[in-house]
Amino acid sequence: MANLRFFEQNLPDLYRHRLEQEREDAADMIIKGFQSFISSSNEQELISLWIPSAHRFLDIHKFSPDEQVSIIQTVFSIISLSSLSIDALSSTISLFNRLLKLRQSIKTELEWKVLYNLYNWLVSSQESKFLFYGFGQISYLLGELATSMKKARKFYSEGATREIIDTFRRKICPGGDISEAVTLMTTLIPNKGEVDSWLIDILLEAVDYDHRNLSVILKVISFLADTAKASPDFNWEPYMPKLLDLSLRAIPLLPNPAPRPKTYMDENKKMVGFMGSFMKKTAGIVKFLIFTLKEQGNSLKYFQQWIQNIRGHLKEEKMTTHAFVEHLNKCGHYMSRRIRRANKNKTAGVSSSLINKFLDILLPCVEVVFHTKHLGTLDKLFNSLSFIAPERFISFCTQYCSYILEDYNVSHAKAIEVMRQTLRATLDSKVYNHDITELALLIEKGLQELTSSDIDKACKVLDYYAVLGSTIALDDSAGDGIREWGQGFMERLLDTLSKLEEKSEEKEEKPEKPMFSLFERQSFNIEKSLKNCMRALSSSVGIDIFYFWVNDFLEYIKFNACNNAQHEFGIIAAEMTRRHPQRVLGNLLELVKNRTVKNGEISSRSPKEISWLVGILVSSMRFGGDYLVNVRGQIEELVSVFIKNESEKIYELAGDLIGSYIEGLVTIYPTSYHPFLPSFVDGHMDYNQYRGSVGQQTEGTDMEISWYKPSDAALIIAKELAVAHLFSINTEASKDELKKKLAIASSILPALSTLELISTTSPGSFRVSTGLENLNIPAELLDSHKFFSETLKSLSSSHLILNDSNLAETIIKLITSTLKNNDLCIAEIKQEEAKLRMLRNRIGNPLVPFFEKNHSETRLYQIEKAYIHHNMRIATRLSQKRCIEHYQDLLDIIINLSLHQLKSVRGTAKSSLKKVISNNFLYGQEVIAYVWQKIEEKIGEIFVTRNEEDVKAVLEIISDKGEMWKRGVVTKMYLAPNILTQASSIENAEIQIPLFAIFSNYVMTAYPNVKITSQGGIQLLEDHKIKGREIIEKMCREIYGYNWRYKLYAMVYIILNIASVADIEFLNAVSDALTPLILDEHADIRDTAVHLFNFILRLKVYHTIPKPSVSALPMTEFSEDARYLDLSNISTVNLGKLHQGWSILPDFIKNYPEIAYTDSHDSLYALLNSEEKVEKLLQFLVVKHQIETEETQISNPAAHSTNHALEFLNNPAKLVNFILEHPIKRKSSRGAYFSVSKANFFKGIGRIYGPSGVRILISKARSLISQEKESQIVLSEVLAGVFRSMKYWDSQSKETFYGFFEEAIKNCSLESSGSWQRSIEYMCKKQSPHKILPIYRILYSNLSVSASTKLRKILKLLSRFVGYLGWKGIEIYPELVMSLGNLPSDYFASLRVTSSILLGKIISATGRFMKNNEETQKYLKIEIETGKYWGIFKPAAAYITNIQAIEESLYSHLLIEIYRQLYRVQSSEWSLISYITLGIQKILEFLESADSKLSLEASTAIAEIFSSKISPSIFSNILQLFIKSEGVSWQSMNIKIHTLAYFWYYNQFSVPYPDFSLLFFDPRPETRNTSKSCLALVLKVVPSEQKNAFYNKCLEIGKEKDISNKIAYAFGLSSLILSLEEFMEPWKGDAIIKLCRMKREGTEISSCVNSTMADFWKVHKPLWNTQHFREKFTDEAIDVVSGFNSEHSYFA
């Protein structure tokens, strides 16, 4: 008992004493089972036995610390040492994650490289690329692996951090994959112990290089937030300004007209497993702020400033506002966690002073949210703050809720929800230590709100009372007024529920209007709310109130029939019966008997009324307990009357009565949910002394839960009824008699399922006590399902049953109940657990440490937790059945009935089959495999007869995706391909739908049938190799006789499986057999054949082309220049670390052997050497692109849906392309596009067959030069693929290709430039610089062409080239920049955009940090931060300087365009800001240009550019330029002021705010007004102390009496008032009065006063009374302010 968990100590004493021994035995068996796998490698046992057993164990037990260490190490060993199939690997890692999630302190050590190496192999290795058509195929496995890498990091060794940093830091450099490095570092680094500043510096270094990448920013902030939680004493202040400025980029704070920083979300495809929701990522910002809050220093100021950035958006009704509100929720959540950690001595305590300052910042935001529709979403914050600062926050909430409840013009539902969130803390005497004198008033308020006019509000009221009833006893001890409330509650509740009937009737009368769809959704919620409420209140109210409720309820149902609310009324009856069965059930039974039976017959009442009363009785009997023994005669009398009736609706009620009666007799359940221990209830209680449950429940306290346990008498009655109604069914009876008997049986069988005898002798099963072991259960009940199975088998073969759809469906339902109790399956119980856990999280005390939470929960929670766990034990026991003997026979019956001639029977059988094979048997995969086997037998029989109706019926069984398509089973079964081949000649359109569904399901769920090791090896399976080859060989032989659809299906099957079965001989055989498909007359066949041959050719390369050898090369052999373009044969994987001496580690050289290509004799080579066939192939490819263009032109984008099912059904080839063309996003709006798949096809040809294989292809491709767009696209695909295949070619063949490429480039059309750009991308991707340098030379040489159109095209291609070459091309960029300077000036108008983009790419590629003493042969240096320098590439700087010096309009426009493109293409804004300093003065001068177009371009460029990252030193220089107004027009000045405000806004934590008040003295009113609005924007977010300082400054200005000072004074006050629209800070009232009294000081001041006060009233008018704003003013001041309040008219 000592080792039992808290809720386990509350389980029934029937079996509680056996739990610990059962747990030990089961844990020992499971651990030994996993250990045995290491020696036996029996994967089938692992998947079907030990992994499910471990999950079942964790559903009801917990491993001890030693056991947990043992099983974690064992499972980790399986992952690291064993060869596993994809399914086994996924399942094992999923279990591993669950084991790591267990909350208990254990010590063990895991090797981080095991999991990382496995993940890296899956996403990066050549083998995995052959096995999987895309990451989506293994997304689940990658997600589980990513989770395990993060969860396991707490067990990594002490030296793991340094190893991880050393492994990934080399990628943090120009050209490196920074996003991938940051993702892996922040995932893997063990976040424990003290943090070192060097680690933070490394991560911030990554951000410096890629600070436009929100993925990098948010991951770093999230990691540092976790670090701050673990290292509270670390000094975070030096890092906070930078991090908070970066965080602003992720939040859309400014309205749309204002510029936003250019950012992007770079989710590396290889990091697909680490992707998460954007909302979760941004939560790291809040976490960092809360865990770094300190009273000393600036952290509070930063927190206040960050909150003020979002508070002005809280009134908006935008999607982004939900994110801001969620951030407020997170503030409370993380502060709770911080206090909880302090309570566990994991960190220093949080002082009350800090909490009060935290509330000072947060409460103004909460105050605003009270008047918005977002109030209901702040539930977590209200709950957290009510426990964090109860003395202050509870009164605050109560006050505002009272205001809302008094206002009948707004919804009250959310205010009631707020009251519920704070109620738990209010009623807990250890939290809120005040007498609650207004308890009755609080209760009465809820009653007033319980109406049917707003069902959502009614649910909130019921939830409110559920919390109330679970926390206190609502009897006379709770205070005056409780009796009055009790007398009104039931009447109000019943009246509300009765409206369900009325609204449903209205809905039936007007079915065409779906106006009650929302009501229906809420009616489901009211069932849940009503159950929780009545469960709590029925136990907590005094006995007098309870009796009044019973009488009121019985009186109501006696004269009212609300059938559509029958379930809700049944809930009330059931929960009241639980407390007092005799009074409720006895009277209810008498009422039902009197109202439904007369003289031994059914009364004259309508079936609807009878069903209403009996339904309520049925619900109440489930908790009748021992009292049910006394009413057996009355129940049987009712049943006998009902069953004699011929009406189906009536005799079905007999089954409901018997079933519910038996269920009540044999079910174990809690009999009371009273909020206090029974020992506390006796005698009178002082409510204020005993309110709440905290303090009563301590370690080892007996919860004194009373459980109903079936008596011997109850079990005997249940047996007798089962024998009478279940085992006495005569299979030869008449149809009518069978209907009645089966109707009763269908209700009895589920009630007996909890008693079913389950053997625990099978391997993998373990003993699970549920209390039955101590009861004298008759054998008939224990074996009821087995006994009844024989009856079902007899009935299922009866022609009478099979020919009647109702009887057949009833038989199916009975079989389903025999095989599985849907209410007591693990999945359903887990949902109940999740709901209870959510309830605890929403209203529980968040300050209590996790392991102490159970001792602080309400007694109702504890009882419900124990009851759910009891049911989980039952579900676990039932899930250990073996699908053998009678179970297997029943499964056969369902499968047979799935082929019934009647559609309704087939549908019911299909639904039943889905239910019974999920989560219900040991060896679950074997059950699914058995079903597949049976279906395969049926298909074999049916395809012989070719009866299309039967074919359709059998296909529909497996057409829906679900448990039948479980990945591990599908991979090993060959039914799907067999079906597709057998149905290959069927043309029936109705059959095509399920066949396509089967094909799609197979594509989406099938894995390659191989085994994988964590070291990155593939083990082919001989059995699959033989069978898979047989299927592929059959397809190859028969494919030319297939319908076109099945040709596609066959080719896709080969694509998915050929890698797991093929060697080079088999590949050649398949290639020879399928080569003609490349020239098939059907375009979709040809397109899919190209995909297929991509795989075949890649596999041939893998099997035939020798792998390069690798040798180490020390860094000393590299010269400065050799680090860039002279990198022949250097491994591309390690190029990043060479840049600028980032690593002193040795690099590696790949040495490629020479290959002597010879003529091949296979069919594909023959095709490629046939001029006619090659020409035909190219023509077909052109036609394919023409089709794409036509489809785009005729398609309606508005009609497209995210569901592609219909589109794919009509054209399965689109599904193939959708899956296999994943590397490129389609440009459907532009028609045809460059196809990576086709380029890969030509690459494979060039690699396998060499120059001779593409000789004719290149020759015929020349005819495509200068042709239309689609021909040019095909040409670009051919050239791109052939270029990537030339690795082993001789020099002469390469030169021949380059000549052809140059000719193609010179003649490519502008319309096809997009495809040529993608072609250049394809050529350059992952290639060493020396390999792509010839491409550059060809492009560079074409810069001398004369036509501007062609120059534009070449510049675009060069931009793509530079984008991929990056920093490695620094040696060629000077000549490229020089060429840009030599372009003819008369071309600038048409070329300035493309040339500017190219220059921007060059500048981006050459950006670098520099040390102070570093050589500067190629760079100028600019200090961007103290001691931190950024290099400016000298050729680019000289180019920009030369342009500035030329006083011509074209050059001025070019200069502006250069800066605009610098902003758009830079990955690092350090380059942008650094180069801006060269020309900012010139750009500002353009604002004054007489050329209006130039002036407009300059203003647009400035607005775009200056929302970038800056540093204080740069900002101070720019500030002086922007604030200077002499000689500047007011139009230009306004642009500069706005730009400066936005510039500061996104860098506000790092730089001081600009004091626009200096411009209030500007003589131009336009400048003054602009300064006022921008200053208001700035003051909106600065900390209070700075606002106070500015207010005092305004007062000093106001002391001067000249008009300029008066204007500056008025404008300053106006800026302050407008910056605080929703809030009333202490001095705001004085500021408003002072401003109002200046109205007569002049026209401009008067206008300022009027506009300011108009804005003031627009915001404050609806809040004037509720927020006590009036209290900030004197009566005289109120008159002054009110004088500006006027009613606004639309027509005014």
Side-chain angles (χ1 to χ4, degrees), residues 992 996 999-1000 1044-1046 1048-1049 1052 1082 1084 1088 1205-1219:
Q992 298 306 320
F996 176 73
F999 166 70
S1000 302
W1044 69 271
R1045 283 177 174 270
Y1046 301 98
L1048 292 176
Y1049 298 160
V1052 171
H1082 199 291
D1084 292 332
T1088 308
L1206 184 60
E1207 179 186 5
F1208 292 155
L1209 173 63
N1210 294 331
N1211 190 348
K1214 288 189 176 181
L1215 175 62
V1216 178
N1217 289 329
F1218 185 80
I1219 294 169

Side-chain angles (χ1 to χ4, degrees), residues 684-779:
H684 182 74
M685 292 186 300
D686 178 0
Y687 162 70
N688 283 299
Q689 180 180 356
Y690 290 108
R691 74 171 190 265
S693 58
V694 180
Q696 298 180 40
Q697 302 165 36
T698 57
E699 191 73 38
T701 298
D702 186 356
M703 291 300 298
E704 304 176 24
I705 298 178
S706 173
W707 293 83
Y708 165 73
K709 309 170 191 70
S711 63
D712 290 346
L715 292 171
I716 290 172
I717 293 173
K719 180 204 73 171
E720 292 173 352
L721 292 175
V723 170
H725 296 282
L726 195 63
F727 304 145
S728 62
I729 297 176
N730 183 4
T731 57
E732 303 298 326
S734 65
K735 180 178 178 180
D736 291 338
E737 185 179 351
L738 272 178
K739 281 186 176 181
K740 294 179 180 180
K741 287 284 188 180
L742 293 179
I744 294 177
S746 62
S747 296
I748 294 177
L749 208 56
L752 297 178
S753 63
T754 58
L755 307 178
E756 186 178 1
L757 185 63
I758 306 295
S759 171
T760 58
T761 58
S762 301
S765 62
F766 49 86
R767 184 178 178 84
V768 182
S769 295
T770 58
L772 303 179
E773 304 80 7
N774 291 46
L775 300 176
N776 298 318
I777 302 176

Side-chain angles (χ1 to χ4, degrees), residues 3 8 13 139 431 514 551 562 605 922 964 1019 1096 1126 1150 1154 1166 1202 1210 1279 1379 1391 1393 1406 1408 1482-1483 1681:
N3 294 324
E8 288 175 328
D13 54 11
S139 58
V431 175
N551 295 336
C562 306
R605 299 185 182 279
L922 286 176
M964 286 288 293
Q1019 178 183 338
I1096 292 175
D1126 210 11
K1150 283 185 177 179
E1154 293 184 0
T1202 55
N1210 294 331
L1279 291 176
S1379 296
L1391 297 179
V1393 174
T1406 54
R1408 54 174 285 193
K1482 193 75 173 178
I1483 295 289
V1681 175

